[in-house]
Amino acid sequence: MDPCHHLGIVMNPNGTATRTPHFPSIPPSSDDPTLPVLTKDLIINPQNNTWLRLFLPRIPTNPNPNPNPKLPLIIFFHGGGFVICSAAYTTFHDFCFATSASLPAVIASVEYRLAPDHRLPAAYEDAAEALTFIRDNDDEWLTKHADFGNCYLMGNSAGGTIAYFTGLYATDKTHDLEPLKIQGLILRQPFFGGIQRSESELRLEYDDFLPLCVADLLWQLALPVGADRDHEYANLKAKNWVGKLRMVRELGWRVLVSANHGDPVVDRSKELVGVLKENGVEVVTDFDEEGVHGVEYRDAGKAQRLIDNRNKNKERKPVKQKNVSPFPPDIFAAFETSASELVDTATSSSRTAATSRLHRSPLAPWTSPHAALTRVQPF
C-alpha cells in the first residue's frame, strides 16, 4: 500500500504536500431562519490562515426565570492526523452542528495549520492562540451566549491529541486565560504515538482505514524533522506532560476518553486512561467493543449501534471507583446524540448528500492554501 495515495496527498520537492480535494466543504450560514444552528467564521491569525467556526444554537423561548442563560462553550479540534482535513469539511461541520443543537452549546471549531507544511508544534501553537483569541474576542455570539466559565476542549483523532496537549499547556496559564475557565477534556479516539508498538497496532496492522504504515507516515510528516514517535509532541508519557497532570487534578478537570476496540490506536487510549488514573485525575471511559476509527463519521448503522451501546451504559448503575466520577450528563449527551443527529441528516431534505458523507472517510484529503510559518509562542 502507498500511504500517500491512501491519504490522497502528493509530496512536493520542497517538503510541502498537495492534497486532493475528495471531500466537500461547507460555508457558514449566519442568516438562514430555517436552520436550528447558526454558523459563522472568525479569523484568528490571517498570516497563518487560521480561523474558527462558531456554532450558535437557536434556543426556544423559555418561560422559566433566567431569561438570558449562557451556554457551555466547547472548543473543538478536528481530526486528520495533523496532515489533512479542515474545520470546513462537511464531516466536522455536521458533527459540530448536531452537537451544538443537541446539548445545546456554543461550539468553536478551530482551523489550524497542517503538516508537513507546518510541522508540530504549529497545530499546538494554533490551538493555544485560539484560546487567547476567544478570551479576548468581543463577538456577540461569544460575549452574550457563551459561558466562559464552563469551557471544554474536545477533539477526535489528532484533534483529541491537540485538545489533550493544549489542555496540559493551559494548566500553567489559568490566570492568564481568565475569564475562560476550562472544566474538562473530551477526547474521542485520540491519536498518540510511541516507538514501542501496542497490541492493537500490531493486531490491526492492515486496518482498512488507518493501517500502521499510514499512521507511521502521519507521524513522520507531523513531527519535527528527525524526531521519532517518542517525541514529546507524540508520546503521552513524555515527562514534561505527565508532570502537568498534578495541575489537572488540582484544577478539578474531568476527562472523558472514548474509543473503539476495532481502532488501531485504541491501546493508546487505554494507556492514557491508566496515566490519568495514576495521577489522580477524574476520568470517565467510554470503550466500545464495536466500531473502528472514525466510526461515527463513516457508517450510519455502526454510529447508531454506538449510540445504543452508550445509552445502555448510561442506564447502568455507576460503579464506584477511586478517582472516577460521572461526567456531566449534558457533555455525555454530545456523544450520545451527535452521531444520531448525523444519521438523521441522511434523510433531511436540507442535507441530501449526508448519506454519502457518512460512509466516507473522515481522513479524506482537502486542499489548503500554504500559509507563512510564524511561531505564535513557544509551546
Side-chain angles (χ1 to χ4, degrees):
M1 171 190 290
D2 179 355
C4 285
H5 178 75
H6 185 85
L7 293 170
I9 63 174
V10 176
M11 295 304 301
N12 301 318
N14 64 354
T16 64
T18 298
R19 300 160 180 86
T20 307
H22 289 172
F23 205 82
S25 296
I26 186 171
S29 180
S30 60
D31 56 1
D32 188 339
T34 67
L35 294 177
V37 176
L38 300 177
T39 56
K40 67 177 171 182
D41 294 346
L42 301 178
I43 296 174
I44 298 175
N45 187 325
Q47 186 175 9
N48 291 338
N49 196 32
T50 56
W51 46 271
L52 61 80
R53 177 159 295 179
L54 286 179
F55 295 79
L56 177 66
R58 295 181 186 272
I59 307 300
T61 302
N62 189 347
N64 296 326
N66 194 12
N68 296 304
K70 289 192 174 184
L71 302 174
L73 173 62
I74 296 176
I75 302 175
F76 177 80
F77 305 97
H78 67 78
F82 304 102
V83 173
I84 56 177
C85 294
S86 167
Y89 267 21
T90 50
T91 302
F92 303 112
H93 176 97
D94 288 351
F95 178 81
C96 291
F97 186 101
T99 303
S100 177
S102 64
L103 278 176
V106 175
I107 296 181
S109 180
V110 179
E111 180 79 343
Y112 52 86
R113 289 171 293 172
L114 298 177
D117 310 51
H118 309 290
R119 292 175 177 266
L120 295 175
Y124 300 152
E125 292 173 343
D126 293 344
E129 186 178 27
L131 298 185
T132 57
F133 174 83
I134 291 171
R135 176 201 65 190
D136 298 335
N137 199 273
D138 59 0
D139 186 272
E140 287 191 353
W141 286 17
L142 290 171
T143 59
K144 287 189 176 182
H145 301 289
D147 183 355
F148 278 29
N150 191 19
C151 175
Y152 293 84
L153 305 187
M154 175 180 177
N156 73 294
S157 191
T161 314
I162 294 172
Y164 179 71
F165 285 144
T166 303
L168 296 188
Y169 166 80
T171 59
D172 292 332
K173 310 291 182 182
T174 53
H175 294 301
D176 294 338
L177 287 173
E178 290 181 354
L180 194 68
K181 292 185 179 180
I182 298 170
Q183 300 294 337
L185 310 176
I186 305 170
L187 311 176
R188 171 68 180 154
Q189 298 179 331
F191 181 57
F192 293 106
I195 291 297
Q196 182 67 40
R197 299 295 189 188
S198 69
E199 185 278 330
S200 61
E201 288 172 339
L202 296 175
R203 172 171 54 87
L204 299 168
E205 178 179 359
Y206 302 106
D207 180 68
D208 289 339
F209 179 64
L210 188 61
L212 193 58
C213 63
V214 171
D216 286 352
L217 176 64
L218 290 171
W219 282 120
Q220 179 184 337
L221 296 177
L223 290 169
V225 175
D228 62 31
R229 296 187 304 277
D230 280 338
H231 192 276
E232 62 183 293
Y233 297 154
N235 194 319
L236 66 93
K237 286 191 172 181
K239 289 183 179 179
N240 60 322
W241 294 123
V242 173
K244 291 180 178 290
L245 291 176
R246 177 183 59 83
M247 281 299 299
V248 173
R249 181 184 70 246
E250 292 180 1
L251 289 168
W253 292 5
R254 304 184 187 97
V255 180
L256 171 61
V257 181
S258 175
N260 297 78
H261 185 68
D263 181 3
V265 297
V266 65
D267 283 353
R268 302 292 180 188
S269 293
K270 294 177 181 178
E271 187 177 23
L272 171 62
V273 170
V275 169
L276 292 171
K277 289 183 177 180
E278 287 171 7
N279 286 272
V281 176
E282 204 168 326
V283 58
V284 153
T285 60
D286 175 27
F287 286 84
D288 195 335
E289 291 299 316
E290 298 288 335
V292 296
H293 197 81
V295 64
E296 68 269 30
Y297 297 114
R298 303 191 298 128
D299 188 315
K302 288 186 177 180
Q304 188 60 57
R305 178 171 181 141
L306 182 65
I307 298 160
D308 293 340
N309 286 340
R310 284 173 177 157
N311 285 336
K312 289 177 184 177
N313 289 337
K314 186 179 179 184
E315 291 166 5
R316 293 194 187 109
K317 253 188 177 179
V319 179
K320 291 185 178 179
Q321 301 180 41
K322 187 178 180 181
N323 299 326
V324 178
S325 71
F327 212 78
D330 55 339
I331 299 300
F332 257 129
F335 286 91
E336 294 172 9
T337 63
S338 297
S340 178
E341 291 291 340
L342 285 176
V343 174
D344 291 343
T345 61
T347 57
S348 169
S349 59
S350 64
R351 299 281 183 181
T352 54
T355 302
S356 62
R357 293 204 300 269
L358 282 167
H359 292 271
R360 295 185 187 179
S361 163
L363 287 181
W366 70 293
T367 304
S368 69
H370 300 309
L373 175 60
T374 300
R375 296 182 65 84
V376 177
Q377 53 184 309
F379 196 90

